[in-house]
Coordinates of all heavy atoms in Angstrom, one line a residue:
L1 N 0.8 -1.2 0.0 CA 0.0 0.0 0.0 C 0.9 1.3 0.0 O 0.4 2.3 -0.5 CB -0.9 0.0 1.2 CG -2.0 -1.1 1.2 CD1 -2.8 -1.0 2.5 CD2 -3.0 -0.9 0.0
Q2 N 2.0 1.2 0.6 CA 2.9 2.4 0.6 C 3.4 2.7 -0.8 O 3.5 3.9 -1.1 CB 4.1 2.1 1.5 CG 3.7 2.1 3.0 CD 4.9 1.9 3.9 OE1 5.9 1.4 3.5 NE2 4.7 2.2 5.2
V3 N 3.7 1.7 -1.6 CA 4.1 2.0 -3.0 C 2.9 2.6 -3.8 O 3.1 3.6 -4.5 CB 4.7 0.8 -3.7 CG1 5.0 1.1 -5.1 CG2 5.9 0.3 -2.9
A4 N 1.7 2.1 -3.6 CA 0.6 2.7 -4.2 C 0.3 4.1 -3.8 O 0.1 5.0 -4.6 CB -0.7 1.9 -3.9
E5 N 0.5 4.4 -2.5 CA 0.3 5.8 -2.0 C 1.4 6.7 -2.6 O 1.1 7.8 -3.0 CB 0.4 5.8 -0.5 CG 0.2 7.2 0.1 CD 0.3 7.2 1.6 OE1 0.3 6.1 2.2 OE2 0.4 8.3 2.1
M6 N 2.6 6.2 -2.8 CA 3.7 7.0 -3.4 C 3.4 7.3 -4.8 O 3.6 8.4 -5.3 CB 5.0 6.2 -3.3 CG 6.2 6.9 -3.9 SD 7.7 5.9 -4.1 CE 7.1 4.7 -5.4
I7 N 2.9 6.3 -5.6 CA 2.5 6.5 -7.0 C 1.4 7.6 -7.1 O 1.5 8.5 -7.9 CB 2.1 5.2 -7.6 CG1 3.3 4.3 -7.8 CG2 1.5 5.5 -9.0 CD1 2.9 2.9 -8.2
I8 N 0.4 7.4 -6.2 CA -0.7 8.4 -6.3 C -0.3 9.8 -5.9 O -0.7 10.8 -6.5 CB -1.9 7.9 -5.4 CG1 -2.5 6.6 -6.0 CG2 -3.0 8.9 -5.2 CD1 -3.4 5.8 -5.1
T9 N 0.5 9.9 -4.8 CA 0.8 11.2 -4.3 C 1.9 11.9 -5.1 O 1.8 13.1 -5.3 CB 1.4 11.0 -2.8 OG1 0.4 10.3 -2.1 CG2 1.6 12.4 -2.2
N10 N 2.9 11.2 -5.6 CA 4.0 11.8 -6.2 C 4.2 11.5 -7.7 O 5.3 11.8 -8.3 CB 5.3 11.3 -5.5 CG 5.3 11.7 -4.0 OD1 5.0 12.8 -3.7 ND2 5.6 10.7 -3.2
F11 N 3.2 11.0 -8.4 CA 3.4 10.5 -9.7 C 3.9 11.6 -10.7 O 4.6 11.4 -11.6 CB 2.2 9.8 -10.3 CG 1.0 10.6 -10.7 CD1 0.9 11.2 -11.9 CD2 0.0 10.8 -9.8 CE1 -0.2 12.0 -12.2 CE2 -1.1 11.5 -10.1 CZ -1.2 12.2 -11.3
G12 N 3.4 12.9 -10.4 CA 3.8 14.0 -11.3 C 5.2 14.3 -11.2 O 5.9 14.7 -12.2
E13 N 5.8 14.2 -10.0 CA 7.2 14.5 -9.8 C 8.1 13.3 -10.2 O 9.2 13.5 -10.8 CB 7.5 14.8 -8.4 CG 6.7 16.0 -7.9 CD 6.8 16.1 -6.3 OE1 7.6 15.4 -5.7 OE2 6.0 16.9 -5.8
M14 N 7.7 12.1 -9.9 CA 8.5 10.9 -10.1 C 8.3 10.3 -11.5 O 9.3 9.7 -12.1 CB 8.2 9.9 -9.1 CG 8.5 10.3 -7.7 SD 8.0 9.1 -6.4 CE 9.3 7.9 -6.7
F15 N 7.1 10.3 -12.0 CA 6.8 9.6 -13.3 C 6.1 10.5 -14.2 O 5.0 11.0 -13.9 CB 5.9 8.4 -13.0 CG 6.4 7.5 -11.9 CD1 5.8 7.5 -10.6 CD2 7.4 6.6 -12.1 CE1 6.2 6.7 -9.6 CE2 7.9 5.8 -11.1 CZ 7.3 5.8 -9.9
P16 N 6.7 10.8 -15.4 CA 6.0 11.7 -16.3 C 4.7 10.9 -16.8 O 4.8 9.7 -17.0 CB 7.0 11.9 -17.4 CG 8.2 11.2 -17.1 CD 8.0 10.5 -15.8
R17 N 3.7 11.6 -17.0 CA 2.4 11.0 -17.5 C 2.7 10.3 -18.8 O 3.4 10.8 -19.7 CB 1.3 12.1 -17.7 CG 0.0 11.5 -17.9 CD -1.1 12.5 -17.4 NE -2.4 11.9 -17.3 CZ -2.7 11.2 -16.2 NH1 -1.9 11.0 -15.2 NH2 -3.9 10.6 -16.1
G18 N 2.2 9.1 -18.9 CA 2.4 8.3 -20.1 C 3.7 7.5 -20.1 O 3.9 6.8 -21.1
C19 N 4.5 7.5 -19.0 CA 5.7 6.7 -19.0 C 5.3 5.3 -18.9 O 4.2 4.9 -18.7 CB 6.6 7.2 -17.9 SG 6.1 6.7 -16.3
R20 N 6.3 4.4 -19.1 CA 6.1 3.0 -19.1 C 6.7 2.3 -17.9 O 7.7 2.8 -17.3 CB 6.8 2.3 -20.3 CG 6.2 2.9 -21.6 CD 6.9 2.4 -22.8 NE 6.6 3.1 -24.0 CZ 5.5 2.8 -24.8 NH1 4.8 1.8 -24.5 NH2 5.3 3.5 -25.8
M21 N 6.1 1.3 -17.4 CA 6.6 0.5 -16.3 C 6.4 -1.0 -16.5 O 5.5 -1.4 -17.3 CB 5.9 0.9 -15.0 CG 4.4 0.5 -14.9 SD 3.7 0.5 -13.2 CE 4.2 -1.1 -12.6
V22 N 7.2 -1.8 -15.9 CA 7.1 -3.2 -15.9 C 7.0 -3.7 -14.5 O 7.8 -3.3 -13.6 CB 8.3 -3.9 -16.6 CG1 8.2 -5.4 -16.5 CG2 8.4 -3.5 -18.0
E23 N 6.0 -4.5 -14.2 CA 5.9 -5.0 -12.8 C 6.1 -6.5 -12.9 O 5.3 -7.3 -13.6 CB 4.5 -4.7 -12.3 CG 4.3 -5.2 -10.8 CD 2.9 -5.0 -10.3 OE1 2.1 -4.4 -11.0 OE2 2.8 -5.3 -9.1
L24 N 7.2 -7.0 -12.3 CA 7.5 -8.4 -12.4 C 6.9 -9.1 -11.1 O 7.0 -8.6 -10.0 CB 9.0 -8.6 -12.3 CG 9.8 -8.0 -13.5 CD1 11.3 -8.1 -13.3 CD2 9.3 -8.5 -14.8
G25 N 6.2 -10.2 -11.4 CA 5.5 -10.9 -10.3 C 4.4 -10.1 -9.7 O 4.3 -9.7 -8.6
S26 N 3.4 -9.7 -10.6 CA 2.4 -8.8 -10.3 C 1.3 -9.3 -9.3 O 0.6 -8.5 -8.7 CB 1.6 -8.4 -11.6 OG 2.6 -7.8 -12.4
G27 N 1.2 -10.6 -9.1 CA 0.2 -11.2 -8.3 C -1.2 -10.9 -8.9 O -1.5 -11.4 -9.9
V28 N -2.0 -10.0 -8.2 CA -3.3 -9.7 -8.7 C -3.3 -8.4 -9.6 O -4.3 -8.0 -10.1 CB -4.3 -9.5 -7.6 CG1 -4.5 -10.8 -6.9 CG2 -4.0 -8.4 -6.6
G29 N -2.1 -7.8 -9.7 CA -2.0 -6.6 -10.5 C -2.4 -5.3 -9.8 O -2.6 -4.2 -10.5
F30 N -2.4 -5.2 -8.5 CA -2.8 -4.0 -7.8 C -2.0 -2.8 -8.1 O -2.5 -1.8 -8.5 CB -2.7 -4.3 -6.3 CG -2.9 -3.1 -5.4 CD1 -4.2 -2.6 -5.3 CD2 -1.9 -2.5 -4.7 CE1 -4.5 -1.5 -4.5 CE2 -2.1 -1.4 -4.0 CZ -3.4 -0.9 -3.8
L31 N -0.6 -2.9 -8.1 CA 0.2 -1.7 -8.4 C 0.1 -1.3 -9.8 O 0.1 -0.1 -10.1 CB 1.6 -2.0 -8.0 CG 1.9 -2.0 -6.5 CD1 3.4 -2.3 -6.2 CD2 1.5 -0.8 -5.8
G32 N -0.1 -2.3 -10.7 CA -0.2 -1.9 -12.1 C -1.5 -1.2 -12.4 O -1.5 -0.2 -13.1
V33 N -2.6 -1.6 -11.7 CA -3.9 -0.8 -11.8 C -3.7 0.6 -11.3 O -4.2 1.5 -11.9 CB -5.0 -1.6 -11.1 CG1 -6.3 -0.7 -11.0 CG2 -5.3 -2.9 -11.8
V34 N -3.1 0.7 -10.2 CA -2.9 2.1 -9.6 C -2.1 2.9 -10.6 O -2.4 4.1 -10.8 CB -2.2 2.0 -8.2 CG1 -1.7 3.3 -7.7 CG2 -3.1 1.3 -7.2
A35 N -1.0 2.3 -11.1 CA -0.1 3.1 -12.0 C -0.9 3.5 -13.3 O -0.8 4.7 -13.7 CB 1.1 2.3 -12.4
V36 N -1.7 2.7 -13.8 CA -2.5 3.0 -15.0 C -3.6 4.0 -14.7 O -3.7 5.0 -15.4 CB -3.1 1.7 -15.6 CG1 -4.1 2.1 -16.7 CG2 -2.0 0.8 -16.2
K37 N -4.3 3.8 -13.6 CA -5.5 4.7 -13.3 C -5.0 6.0 -12.7 O -5.6 7.1 -13.1 CB -6.4 4.0 -12.3 CG -7.0 2.7 -12.9 CD -7.9 2.9 -14.1 CE -9.3 3.4 -13.6 NZ -10.3 3.5 -14.7
A38 N -4.1 6.0 -11.8 CA -3.8 7.3 -11.1 C -2.7 8.1 -11.8 O -2.7 9.3 -11.8 CB -3.3 6.9 -9.7
A39 N -1.8 7.4 -12.5 CA -0.6 8.1 -13.0 C -0.6 8.1 -14.6 O 0.3 8.6 -15.2 CB 0.7 7.5 -12.5
G40 N -1.6 7.4 -15.2 CA -1.6 7.4 -16.6 C -0.5 6.7 -17.3 O -0.1 7.0 -18.4
M41 N 0.1 5.7 -16.6 CA 1.3 5.0 -17.1 C 0.8 3.9 -18.0 O -0.3 3.5 -18.0 CB 2.1 4.4 -15.9 CG 2.6 5.4 -14.9 SD 3.3 4.7 -13.5 CE 5.0 4.7 -13.9
H42 N 1.7 3.5 -18.8 CA 1.6 2.3 -19.6 C 2.3 1.2 -18.9 O 3.5 1.3 -18.6 CB 2.2 2.4 -21.0 CG 1.6 3.6 -21.8 ND1 0.4 3.4 -22.5 CD2 2.0 4.8 -22.0 CE1 0.1 4.6 -23.1 NE2 1.1 5.5 -22.8
A43 N 1.6 0.1 -18.5 CA 2.1 -0.9 -17.7 C 2.1 -2.3 -18.3 O 1.2 -2.6 -19.0 CB 1.4 -1.0 -16.4
V44 N 3.2 -3.0 -18.1 CA 3.3 -4.4 -18.5 C 3.3 -5.2 -17.2 O 4.2 -5.0 -16.4 CB 4.5 -4.7 -19.3 CG1 4.6 -6.2 -19.6 CG2 4.5 -3.9 -20.6
L45 N 2.4 -6.1 -17.0 CA 2.3 -6.8 -15.7 C 2.6 -8.3 -16.0 O 2.1 -8.8 -17.0 CB 0.9 -6.7 -15.1 CG 0.6 -5.4 -14.5 CD1 0.3 -4.3 -15.5 CD2 -0.6 -5.5 -13.5
T46 N 3.4 -8.9 -15.2 CA 3.8 -10.3 -15.4 C 3.5 -11.1 -14.2 O 3.5 -10.6 -13.1 CB 5.3 -10.4 -15.8 OG1 6.0 -10.0 -14.6 CG2 5.6 -9.5 -17.0
D47 N 3.4 -12.4 -14.4 CA 3.4 -13.4 -13.3 C 3.8 -14.7 -13.8 O 3.6 -15.0 -15.0 CB 2.0 -13.5 -12.6 CG 2.0 -14.0 -11.2 OD1 2.2 -13.2 -10.3 OD2 1.9 -15.2 -11.0
V48 N 4.3 -15.6 -12.9 CA 4.8 -16.9 -13.4 C 3.7 -17.9 -13.6 O 3.8 -18.8 -14.4 CB 5.8 -17.4 -12.3 CG1 5.2 -17.8 -11.0 CG2 6.6 -18.6 -12.9
S49 N 2.5 -17.7 -13.0 CA 1.5 -18.7 -13.1 C 0.4 -18.3 -14.0 O 0.1 -17.1 -14.1 CB 0.9 -19.0 -11.7 OG 0.1 -18.0 -11.3
D50 N -0.3 -19.2 -14.7 CA -1.4 -18.9 -15.5 C -2.6 -18.4 -14.7 O -3.3 -17.5 -15.1 CB -1.9 -20.2 -16.3 CG -0.9 -20.6 -17.3 OD1 -0.1 -19.8 -17.8 OD2 -0.9 -21.8 -17.7
A51 N -2.7 -18.9 -13.5 CA -3.8 -18.4 -12.6 C -3.5 -16.9 -12.3 O -4.5 -16.1 -12.2 CB -3.9 -19.2 -11.3
G52 N -2.3 -16.6 -12.0 CA -1.9 -15.2 -11.7 C -2.2 -14.3 -12.9 O -2.8 -13.2 -12.7
I53 N -1.9 -14.7 -14.1 CA -2.2 -13.9 -15.3 C -3.7 -13.7 -15.5 O -4.1 -12.6 -15.8 CB -1.6 -14.6 -16.6 CG1 -0.1 -14.7 -16.5 CG2 -2.1 -13.9 -17.8 CD1 0.6 -13.4 -16.4
E54 N -4.5 -14.8 -15.2 CA -5.9 -14.6 -15.3 C -6.5 -13.6 -14.3 O -7.3 -12.8 -14.6 CB -6.6 -16.0 -15.1 CG -8.1 -15.9 -15.3 CD -8.5 -15.4 -16.7 OE1 -7.8 -15.5 -17.7 OE2 -9.6 -14.7 -16.7
L55 N -5.9 -13.6 -13.0 CA -6.3 -12.7 -12.0 C -6.0 -11.2 -12.5 O -6.8 -10.3 -12.3 CB -5.7 -13.0 -10.7 CG -6.2 -14.1 -9.9 CD1 -5.3 -14.4 -8.7 CD2 -7.6 -13.8 -9.4
I56 N -4.8 -11.1 -13.0 CA -4.4 -9.8 -13.5 C -5.3 -9.3 -14.6 O -5.8 -8.2 -14.5 CB -2.9 -9.8 -14.0 CG1 -1.9 -10.0 -12.9 CG2 -2.6 -8.5 -14.8 CD1 -0.5 -10.4 -13.4
R57 N -5.6 -10.2 -15.5 CA -6.5 -9.8 -16.6 C -7.9 -9.4 -16.1 O -8.5 -8.4 -16.5 CB -6.7 -11.0 -17.6 CG -7.5 -10.7 -18.8 CD -7.5 -11.8 -19.8 NE -6.3 -11.8 -20.5 CZ -5.4 -12.8 -20.5 NH1 -5.6 -13.9 -19.9 NH2 -4.3 -12.8 -21.2
R58 N -8.5 -10.1 -15.2 CA -9.8 -9.8 -14.6 C -9.8 -8.5 -13.9 O -10.7 -7.7 -14.0 CB -10.3 -10.9 -13.7 CG -10.9 -12.1 -14.5 CD -11.6 -13.0 -13.5 NE -10.7 -14.2 -13.3 CZ -10.8 -14.9 -12.3 NH1 -11.6 -14.7 -11.3 NH2 -10.0 -16.0 -12.2
N59 N -8.7 -8.2 -13.1 CA -8.6 -7.0 -12.3 C -8.4 -5.8 -13.2 O -9.0 -4.7 -13.0 CB -7.5 -7.1 -11.3 CG -8.0 -7.9 -10.1 OD1 -9.1 -7.9 -9.7 ND2 -7.0 -8.6 -9.5
L60 N -7.7 -6.0 -14.3 CA -7.6 -4.9 -15.3 C -8.9 -4.6 -15.9 O -9.3 -3.4 -16.1 CB -6.5 -5.2 -16.4 CG -5.1 -5.3 -15.9 CD1 -4.2 -5.8 -17.0 CD2 -4.6 -3.9 -15.4
E61 N -9.7 -5.6 -16.3 CA -11.0 -5.4 -16.9 C -11.9 -4.7 -15.9 O -12.7 -3.8 -16.3 CB -11.5 -6.7 -17.4 CG -10.8 -7.3 -18.6 CD -11.3 -8.7 -19.0 OE1 -12.2 -9.2 -18.4 OE2 -10.7 -9.2 -20.0
R62 N -11.9 -5.2 -14.7 CA -12.9 -4.6 -13.7 C -12.6 -3.2 -13.4 O -13.5 -2.4 -13.0 CB -12.7 -5.4 -12.4 CG -13.4 -6.7 -12.4 CD -13.2 -7.4 -11.0 NE -13.8 -8.8 -11.1 CZ -13.4 -9.8 -10.5 NH1 -12.3 -9.7 -9.7 NH2 -14.0 -11.0 -10.6
N63 N -11.3 -2.8 -13.6 CA -11.0 -1.4 -13.4 C -10.8 -0.6 -14.6 O -10.3 0.5 -14.6 CB -9.6 -1.4 -12.6 CG -9.8 -1.8 -11.1 OD1 -10.3 -1.1 -10.3 ND2 -9.5 -3.1 -10.9
S64 N -11.4 -1.1 -15.7 CA -11.4 -0.4 -17.0 C -10.0 0.0 -17.5 O -9.9 1.1 -18.0 CB -12.4 0.8 -16.9 OG -13.7 0.4 -16.6
C65 N -9.1 -0.9 -17.3 CA -7.7 -0.6 -17.8 C -7.6 -1.3 -19.2 O -8.1 -2.4 -19.4 CB -6.7 -1.2 -16.9 SG -6.7 -0.4 -15.2
P66 N -6.9 -0.7 -20.1 CA -6.7 -1.4 -21.4 C -5.8 -2.6 -21.2 O -4.9 -2.7 -20.4 CB -6.0 -0.3 -22.2 CG -5.4 0.6 -21.2 CD -6.2 0.6 -20.0
T67 N -6.1 -3.6 -22.0 CA -5.4 -4.9 -21.9 C -4.9 -5.3 -23.3 O -5.5 -5.0 -24.3 CB -6.2 -6.0 -21.3 OG1 -7.3 -6.3 -22.1 CG2 -6.6 -5.7 -19.9
L68 N -3.8 -6.0 -23.3 CA -3.3 -6.7 -24.5 C -3.0 -8.1 -24.2 O -2.7 -8.4 -23.0 CB -2.0 -6.0 -25.0 CG -2.1 -4.5 -25.4 CD1 -0.7 -4.0 -25.6 CD2 -2.9 -4.4 -26.6
D69 N -3.2 -9.0 -25.1 CA -2.9 -10.4 -24.8 C -1.4 -10.7 -25.2 O -0.8 -10.1 -26.0 CB -3.8 -11.3 -25.6 CG -5.2 -11.3 -25.0 OD1 -5.3 -11.1 -23.8 OD2 -6.1 -11.4 -25.8

């Protein structure tokens, strides 16, 4: 949650709008969703398991984030 708060609070100073990020081992994709929604970043989210990828995909869709396969 601290990283999410940092992204939301300081994204203008730390991350130029539209910049790109890669999240390795995203789990459910929480930080990626925050980065896309709050900071307007382009994010690539990864996970080692197929179940993790499916959770990421569902959470991106639920939060109206663009997805690519």
Side-chain angles (χ1 to χ4, degrees):
L1 292 175
Q2 289 179 340
V3 175
E5 183 179 349
M6 179 191 69
I7 291 171
I8 293 167
T9 305
N10 302 311
F11 73 85
E13 298 169 14
M14 299 177 70
F15 309 104
R17 193 155 196 80
C19 73
R20 300 173 191 275
M21 68 163 276
V22 175
E23 184 181 2
L24 304 175
S26 301
V28 298
F30 173 72
L31 290 178
V33 169
V34 170
V36 169
K37 298 296 278 189
M41 298 171 98
H42 300 279
V44 175
L45 288 74
T46 67
D47 203 88
V48 68
S49 72
D50 291 337
I53 297 296
E54 185 55 33
L55 284 172
I56 292 167
R57 183 174 285 119
R58 278 192 259 154
N59 283 326
L60 291 172
E61 289 173 2
R62 285 182 182 145
N63 289 282
S64 301
C65 298
T67 60
L68 298 173
D69 288 327

